[in-house]
């Protein structure tokens, strides 16, 4: 009986790219990038709203809302955008790391610690499977995250333009 290519893989289970993908998908923070459109938008709105709530007192101390409401609101929104963009950037980098490991024909892993790194070349079957996961599972996630970051950048540009008119 012929061994499967997965059985021949010397990479520890927790360091195999497909298992890393599954762990990321199931994690509390990274998992919300895989939700449906409404669930994803809800998480973004929640993070942005909480960030704005934290930033409002600082903006109000800098610009009295009674005299400079526009500036106060723009500073609050800018602070909310900053925290949201940091969260989205962390999500993007985490998913991108797993994508790169799945796409690569070679897996770098550690057998027992940081000092004994090894490399294993994937079999053609594993490489094809991993690249299918990248194309059909990870690419939409990364596209969604990059579009969200682009929308935040656009809102910052709009905010800076509005600031110039205040």
């Amino acid at each position: 009986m012929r061994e499967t290519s997965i059985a021949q893989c010397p990479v520890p289970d927790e360091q195999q790219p497909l298992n890393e993908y599954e762990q990321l998908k199931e994690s509390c923070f990274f998992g919300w990038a895989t939700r449906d459109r409404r669930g994803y938008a809800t998480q973004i709105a929640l993070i942005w709203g909480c960030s704005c709530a934290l930033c409002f007192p600082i903006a109000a101390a800098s610009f009295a809302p009674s005299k400079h409401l526009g500036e106060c609101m723009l500073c609050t929104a800018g602070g909310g955008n900053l925290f949201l963009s940091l969260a989205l950037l962390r999500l993007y980098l985490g998913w991108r790391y797993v994508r790169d490991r799945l796409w690569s024909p070679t897996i770098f892993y550690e057998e027992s610690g940081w000092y004994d790194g090894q490399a294993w070349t994937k079999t053609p079957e594993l490489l094809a499977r991993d690249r299918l996961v990248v194309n059909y599972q990870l690419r939409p996630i990364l596209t969604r995250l990059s579009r969200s970051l682009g929308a935040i950048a656009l809102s910052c540009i709009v905010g800076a333009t509005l600031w110039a008119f205040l």
Side-chain angles (χ1 to χ4, degrees), residues 62-76:
S62 300
F63 300 99
S66 59
K67 294 181 183 177
H68 305 285
L69 182 62
E71 288 90 344
C72 182
M73 291 288 112
L74 284 174
C75 283
T76 301

Side-chain angles (χ1 to χ4, degrees), residues 20-106:
E20 290 174 333
Y21 163 71
E22 291 296 330
Q23 288 172 358
L24 212 60
K25 193 167 72 169
E26 297 300 320
S27 76
C28 181
F29 177 67
F30 288 96
W32 64 265
T34 64
R35 292 183 182 174
D36 63 349
R37 188 177 298 209
R38 183 180 177 136
Y40 178 74
T42 301
Q43 285 299 123
I44 284 183
L46 183 65
I47 291 174
W48 189 78
C50 290
S51 300
C52 285
L54 288 172
C55 294
F56 178 74
I58 298 168
S62 300
F63 300 99
S66 59
K67 294 181 183 177
H68 305 285
L69 182 62
E71 288 90 344
C72 182
M73 291 288 112
L74 284 174
C75 283
T76 301
N81 283 349
L82 174 68
F83 286 113
L84 179 59
S85 64
L86 290 175
L88 288 172
L89 184 62
R90 177 65 188 112
L91 281 171
Y92 183 84
L93 292 174
W95 284 107
R96 176 82 187 252
Y97 171 76
V98 170
R99 190 217 54 187
D100 291 346
R101 290 204 20 106
L102 282 165
W103 192 263
S104 175
T106 305

